[in-house]
Amino acid sequence: MASEEELFASVDALLNEEPQLPPPAERARLREAAGITQARLAAALKTTTQSVKNWENGRSEPKSPRLDA
């Protein structure tokens, strides 16, 4: 059985990895579950609604600093 220290080290390692986005359809599902429109998300990220649509249908991927946000 793993010790508490080993478990914390494993979680820390995960948090230090590059951010990984869920698949496009899951991105939309998560946004909708939070009750956020594409327009509101676009405004918060200072981008266009079309960019959010593209991220959610797999046509493009967000880049830093939006990816980090």
Side-chain angles (χ1 to χ4, degrees):
M1 183 173 223
S3 70
E4 185 176 294
E5 186 175 306
E6 290 171 320
L7 294 174
F8 279 106
S10 293
V11 170
D12 287 341
L14 283 174
L15 294 173
N16 287 327
E17 289 180 1
E18 289 294 317
Q20 294 185 5
L21 292 174
E26 181 68 1
R27 297 172 201 172
R29 189 196 69 75
L30 290 169
R31 177 189 50 75
E32 291 167 358
I36 300 170
T37 66
Q38 289 178 330
R40 282 185 59 209
L41 180 59
L45 294 175
K46 297 185 180 5
T47 191
T48 65
T49 302
Q50 186 61 52
S51 289
V52 173
K53 288 178 183 180
N54 289 342
W55 300 337
E56 291 182 355
N57 64 29
R59 287 192 187 127
S60 66
E61 295 288 325
K63 294 176 179 48
S64 259
R66 290 172 184 89
L67 174 62
D68 301 329

